[in-house]
Each structure stands twice: as structure tokens, then as C-alpha cells.
Amino acid sequence: MGEPSREEYKIQSFDAETQQLLKTALKDPGAVDLEKVANVIVDHSLQDCVFSKEAGRMCYAIIQAESKQTGQSVFRRGLLNRLQQEYQAREQLRARSLQGWVCYVTFICNIFDYLKVNNMPMMALVNPVYDCLFRLAQPDSLSKEEEVDCLVLQLHRVGEQLEKMNGQRMDELFVLIRDGFLLPTGLSSLAQLLLLEIIEFRAAGWKTTPAAHDYYYSEVSD
């Protein structure tokens, strides 16, 4: 049988019944309710930030399996509908659970990273992803290290792709980030460091220069 796939390793965090549902979705998608599968993955992503960082790979695998087996896109449609529902209620989610909000942003960015149409990111996700990142760049979010950390991590992951899809919004986002850095009301020293690092990262063409790597990562480890 060989080594289990990375998707199967990630499935271990679910209960036995859900594990079986997800394994079937990956191997025989026509045999399960794929809308239910989409909801299960989103629900788990909102509760488990480790899973939300990698769930896009599993979603991509299920979409590929369904397309190959049936030529349908039930799972993708269910996934995007649920992402939209959570997106529309994002302020309530943030007020209810900061961790759930951070997990949601991580998850939608992960989906944006993995789900492609003709090797291009999905246009339908560009503005929702930007809106989430803009929310993370507001002063009340910049005062919370979890949100700053999420903002910087997602920009490392999808910033370059997002900028190619809409460069003007990226410019506007970085105005907010620079303002947040220059007006450090309530910003922790770690948050300032992270914001400065992402400003320099983008300025260097979405790359970390060796000097910047040595500086920032020695500071973080200290």
C-alpha cells in the first residue's frame, strides 16, 4: 500500500466516523454527501488552527477526485458557499472567538493558495481574502499579536499571488500596515518587528534577503 498520504495523516485529528467519511471522499467521492464533507472540513478548520493551515491540500485532493470520478463540482460549490457564509458573518465570528477568526482567515488563504482555475487563483476569492487581511490591519487588530501574526503569515503565503490579481488593493493594504507601524499605539515590540519584516519582505519583491533573515529571526528567537 505504501506510505499514507499527507491527507490521511491530517485525518487523524477527527473522530472515527468522520475519518471514514473523509477517507471515502478522497477515494470514492461519489459515495458520500460532499456538501456534508465540505461543512465538516470548514467546522474543523474554525476550531483547529493547525488543521486550517493545511486543509486546502485536502480540499484540493477531494475536488480533483470528484472531478475525475464524476465530472461534478458538488464539493467545491459546497465549500465556497460555506466560506461565503462565514465571510459574511466575519465580524460576529471575530467578536465571538478571536481564535476562530484567525483560523478562518488562515483557512480561506489556504484555499486561495490551493484552488486554481487554469493555474490561476479563483477570482471569487480575491476580494474576500483582501477584506480579511484589511480587517487584520485595522488598529484594534494590530494591538493583538495573534492577528498581527496571522496577517504576516498569510502575506508571506499568498501576498505575491494576491498582488498579481489586484495590485491597487495591495498598495492600499500596505498603507494601512505602514500607518499601523508608524503609529504604534498599543503595538507590542514583536508586532512592530513582524510588521517591519513584512514591509521589507514585499519591498524586496516578496523575498527575504539574507541580511533581513539574520536580523529578524535572531530577534524573534531572542
Side-chain angles (χ1 to χ4, degrees), residues 3-45:
E3 289 289 305
S5 69
R6 287 183 62 175
E7 284 70 38
E8 288 182 28
Y9 284 124
K10 287 189 224 72
I11 287 170
Q12 305 307 316
S13 59
F14 292 87
D15 62 63
E17 184 183 347
T18 307
Q19 285 187 34
Q20 192 52 51
L21 178 73
L22 294 174
K23 285 178 181 175
T24 306
L26 285 161
K27 290 173 182 164
D28 185 13
V32 293
D33 179 347
L34 290 171
E35 202 161 324
K36 179 182 177 183
V37 173
N39 282 318
V40 162
I41 290 174
V42 176
D43 286 339
H44 200 66
S45 293

Side-chain angles (χ1 to χ4, degrees), residues 113-131:
D113 193 24
Y114 274 102
L115 267 56
K116 300 282 193 282
V117 177
N118 299 325
N119 291 325
M120 291 288 288
M122 293 184 68
M123 282 302 299
L125 291 176
V126 173
N127 281 326
V129 168
Y130 262 123
D131 289 343

Side-chain angles (χ1 to χ4, degrees), residues 206-219:
W206 301 102
K207 293 181 178 66
T208 301
T209 63
H213 183 276
D214 292 347
Y215 175 73
Y216 291 110
Y217 291 95
S218 69
E219 290 282 329

Side-chain angles (χ1 to χ4, degrees), residues 141-211:
S141 290
L142 293 178
S143 67
K144 296 181 173 67
E145 278 185 4
E146 309 99 294
E147 290 186 279
V148 175
D149 192 49
C150 180
L151 173 64
V152 170
L153 281 172
Q154 302 323 313
L155 282 169
H156 269 278
R157 180 162 203 160
V158 299
E160 188 172 10
Q161 293 180 65
L162 269 177
E163 183 161 44
K164 285 175 182 168
M165 303 302 284
N166 188 333
Q168 182 181 342
R169 287 207 77 184
M170 189 61 74
D171 288 340
E172 291 165 1
L173 177 60
F174 270 81
V175 168
L176 277 181
I177 291 172
R178 278 192 294 273
D179 286 349
F181 175 75
L182 293 169
L183 303 169
T185 49
L187 238 65
S188 70
S189 55
L190 177 60
Q192 285 181 278
L193 193 71
L194 289 169
L195 293 180
L196 183 59
E197 189 272 336
I198 198 63
I199 289 166
E200 293 197 357
F201 183 72
R202 183 195 180 210
W206 301 102
K207 293 181 178 66
T208 301
T209 63

Side-chain angles (χ1 to χ4, degrees), residues 46-163:
L46 295 182
Q47 295 163 13
D48 182 343
C49 278
V50 175
F51 179 75
S52 71
K53 290 176 184 173
E54 294 293 339
R57 187 188 298 272
M58 183 186 292
C59 292
Y60 176 75
I62 294 171
I63 287 168
Q64 293 294 101
E66 183 190 12
S67 176
K68 188 174 177 182
Q69 187 188 60
T70 67
Q72 303 283 307
S73 54
V74 174
F75 175 78
R76 185 172 79 169
R77 191 163 57 248
L79 177 67
L80 294 176
N81 284 343
R82 181 65 194 282
L83 278 173
Q84 184 178 24
Q85 286 170 22
E86 297 297 338
Y87 164 75
Q88 288 169 341
R90 62 195 181 280
E91 283 298 336
Q92 295 94 306
L93 173 61
R94 183 177 179 272
R96 189 172 67 247
S97 165
L98 196 64
Q99 182 191 338
W101 157 242
V102 165
C103 287
Y104 174 74
V105 178
T106 303
F107 181 63
I108 195 173
C109 289
N110 197 246
I111 295 298
F112 174 79
D113 193 24
Y114 274 102
L115 267 56
K116 300 282 193 282
V117 177
N118 299 325
N119 291 325
M120 291 288 288
M122 293 184 68
M123 282 302 299
L125 291 176
V126 173
N127 281 326
V129 168
Y130 262 123
D131 289 343
C132 290
L133 298 181
F134 268 77
R135 183 64 188 87
L136 291 174
Q138 298 303 316
D140 62 330
S141 290
L142 293 178
S143 67
K144 296 181 173 67
E145 278 185 4
E146 309 99 294
E147 290 186 279
V148 175
D149 192 49
C150 180
L151 173 64
V152 170
L153 281 172
Q154 302 323 313
L155 282 169
H156 269 278
R157 180 162 203 160
V158 299
E160 188 172 10
Q161 293 180 65
L162 269 177
E163 183 161 44

